[in-house]
Amino acid sequence: MQRFALPLDLQLFAGEKTEKATPKKRQEARQKGQVAKSMELPSALILFGVLLLLFGYGTMMRDKIEDMFVVSFHDYMTMEMTPNNVSLVFGKLIFEGLLLLAPIFGLAMVMAIVASYSQIGFLLTLEPLKMSFSKLDPIKGIGNLFKLRSFIELLKSIMKMTVIGLVVFYTIWSEKEQFIEMGRWPVIHTFSYTAHLILMLGVQIAAILLVLALFDYMYQRYELEKNLRMSKDEIKQEYKNTEGDPLIKSKIREKQRRMAMQRMMQDVPKADVVITNPTHFAVAIRYDPKQAEAPMVVAKGTDYVALKIRQVAEEHGVIRMENKPLARALYAQVEIGQTIPADLFQAVAEVLAYVYKLKGKTSANVK
């Protein structure tokens, strides 16, 4: 059976956003305010914390409110109604009311900060507040109504209402006998039972909202990761913008190598001796007591560079000396512009003494 193979151009898939976002892309998105954050988590956490606080603080709060009413009807009503007295009474009642609500307000603020910090950490940016006319586009706004995100938000709302409705129905249905007997209860007992039932319902609803908010946060993180995905071309372009074009960088490095070699070759004629291996290594050494206390390597290289060093040395009459172990050791241990280490100084001094002897110079300065 004959098979027909169709040509497939893999470049067609280069634009697909299949790669995870790079750290640079994530940082830029964070600076723009694009973070995974559930708006429901702070409200659910605040509601859950406040209702739990009311379980322990509710009795004290009730007694305090009762005292405020008793004092108002027993003492304040018998006072002479003057502007100063009215201002004093209302100021005191407002202060006591604020003092009574302070723990609730404080806990709500702490819960809001904790919920926000646990999701996105510390982030201060004004980017989301900038004017963007694209947000005022009515066509784009209508299109957002039919996106998958809008459908997910609708499903979340329906799920919340369904679950909360079932919990409320089950709780009230389980207490139906108590509701029937409530008609024979004292008013205080009825009020206490109703308040306790409402608090129980509130805590259950808050716990459900908190669980749903955690799932919503996980979904928001998934959506953010999906939106931040990058294509292979985008990653390559980002790398070029950050690190530079590899082709240009290679040309720059090549030019730097050529310039360094030219400078090195210019120092070869100033050398006193070139120690070779004899063909694979070449190290040019110069000794000037006025500049350094020890001989210095002014050029070194292997293979082709070693050949160029030998050629330049021959053209300018620099003495060449073959010493395989010394040439290898100098090339491995000493960089260009550095002085000879102590462990090689004796061998280099002997070489320089011999060179000076050949040149008719005295070796008295060589230590």
Side-chain angles (χ1 to χ4, degrees):
M1 180 177 179
Q2 186 177 5
R3 296 183 179 179
F4 297 94
L6 296 176
L8 182 61
D9 187 2
L10 296 179
Q11 292 297 324
L12 296 175
F13 300 94
E16 293 186 1
K17 298 182 182 297
T18 57
E19 307 301 316
K20 290 184 177 181
T22 60
K24 183 174 182 295
K25 178 69 176 292
R26 295 179 186 275
Q27 183 63 28
E28 290 177 351
R30 180 177 176 83
Q31 291 176 355
K32 295 178 182 179
Q34 299 176 7
V35 292
K37 181 179 180 181
S38 173
M39 302 303 295
E40 299 178 4
L41 187 58
S43 58
L45 195 60
I46 290 172
L47 179 61
F48 186 74
V50 169
L51 289 174
L52 284 181
L53 176 65
L54 289 177
F55 267 104
Y57 183 63
T59 303
M60 184 186 303
M61 190 174 182
R62 182 199 62 190
D63 295 339
K64 187 64 178 177
I65 293 175
E66 183 179 348
D67 292 340
M68 289 172 61
F69 274 98
V70 169
V71 171
S72 298
F73 286 103
H74 185 269
D75 296 337
Y76 297 155
M77 289 298 179
T78 60
M79 294 176 59
E80 183 179 357
M81 302 303 292
T82 63
N84 290 335
N85 289 340
V86 171
S87 300
L88 181 64
V89 169
F90 276 98
K92 187 175 181 180
L93 289 176
I94 292 173
F95 175 76
E96 291 179 354
L98 292 176
L99 194 63
L100 187 64
L101 296 175
I104 298 177
F105 291 154
L107 180 63
M109 185 178 297
V110 171
M111 288 295 183
I113 295 174
V114 169
S116 297
Y117 186 82
S118 62
Q119 293 184 85
I120 62 175
F122 180 77
L123 177 62
L124 182 61
T125 176
L126 300 177
E127 192 69 24
L129 300 179
K130 291 183 178 180
M131 176 64 70
S132 177
F133 292 100
S134 61
K135 297 179 180 179
L136 303 178
D137 188 357
I139 299 177
K140 187 176 180 181
I142 295 174
N144 291 334
L145 297 177
F146 299 96
K147 285 187 176 180
L148 179 61
R149 185 181 184 87
S150 300
F151 180 70
I152 295 295
E153 294 295 330
L154 178 62
L155 286 181
K156 288 194 306 183
S157 300
I158 295 175
M159 182 183 298
K160 284 194 297 185
M161 296 302 298
T162 302
V163 173
I164 292 173
L166 290 175
V167 170
V168 173
F169 174 78
Y170 176 77
T171 303
I172 294 178
W173 183 259
S174 62
E175 299 290 333
K176 60 182 183 298
E177 297 180 356
Q178 301 293 334
F179 285 123
I180 296 175
E181 297 292 332
M182 194 179 296
R184 293 190 286 268
W185 291 354
V187 176
I188 296 299
H189 190 188
T190 301
F191 177 78
S192 177
Y193 170 78
T194 304
H196 178 76
L197 182 62
I198 292 174
L199 280 178
M200 287 294 298
L201 274 174
V203 171
Q204 293 176 6
I205 293 172
I208 294 172
L209 292 177
L210 186 59
V211 173
L212 293 178
L214 292 175
F215 280 105
D216 180 62
Y217 173 68
M218 296 171 61
Y219 172 74
Q220 297 297 335
R221 291 194 61 176
Y222 166 77
E223 277 289 305
L224 180 65
E225 290 293 329
K226 182 179 178 181
N227 294 331
L228 292 180
R229 284 179 185 172
M230 305 173 65
S231 64
K232 295 182 182 296
D233 288 339
E234 290 176 338
I235 294 178
K236 292 179 181 178
Q237 187 62 38
E238 181 186 288
Y239 178 79
K240 288 182 179 179
N241 295 335
T242 305
E243 303 294 335
D245 193 331
L247 181 60
I248 297 177
K249 290 181 66 177
S250 64
K251 291 182 177 179
I252 293 175
R253 286 195 296 266
E254 180 63 27
K255 187 174 181 179
Q256 290 173 344
R257 283 195 295 267
R258 288 199 302 268
M259 294 175 63
M261 182 175 292
Q262 290 176 359
R263 289 193 299 268
M264 184 178 68
M265 291 303 174
Q266 292 174 358
D267 292 333
V268 172
K270 305 175 184 178
D272 294 318
V273 64
V274 174
I275 302 175
T276 63
N277 190 26
T279 58
H280 295 294
F281 291 88
V283 180
I285 296 177
R286 181 186 179 208
Y287 178 51
D288 186 354
K290 297 179 180 179
Q291 295 183 355
E293 296 181 356
M296 180 185 302
V297 173
V298 295
K300 70 174 185 177
T302 60
D303 299 330
Y304 174 75
V305 179
L307 176 61
K308 294 292 293 183
I309 292 175
R310 293 197 304 272
Q311 290 177 351
V312 174
E314 185 176 357
E315 292 174 358
H316 292 82
V318 179
I319 297 176
R320 289 184 297 163
M321 181 172 292
E322 180 180 337
N323 190 326
K324 295 181 180 179
L326 183 58
R328 289 179 176 272
L330 288 172
Y331 182 84
Q333 298 181 28
V334 188
E335 297 297 329
I336 298 174
Q338 292 183 352
T339 56
I340 305 300
D343 57 336
L344 297 177
F345 185 77
Q346 181 63 34
V348 173
E350 293 176 358
V351 171
L352 290 175
Y354 177 74
V355 169
Y356 292 153
K357 184 177 181 181
L358 291 178
K359 291 182 177 181
K361 295 181 179 181
T362 179
S363 60
N365 292 329
V366 180
K367 298 179 180 180

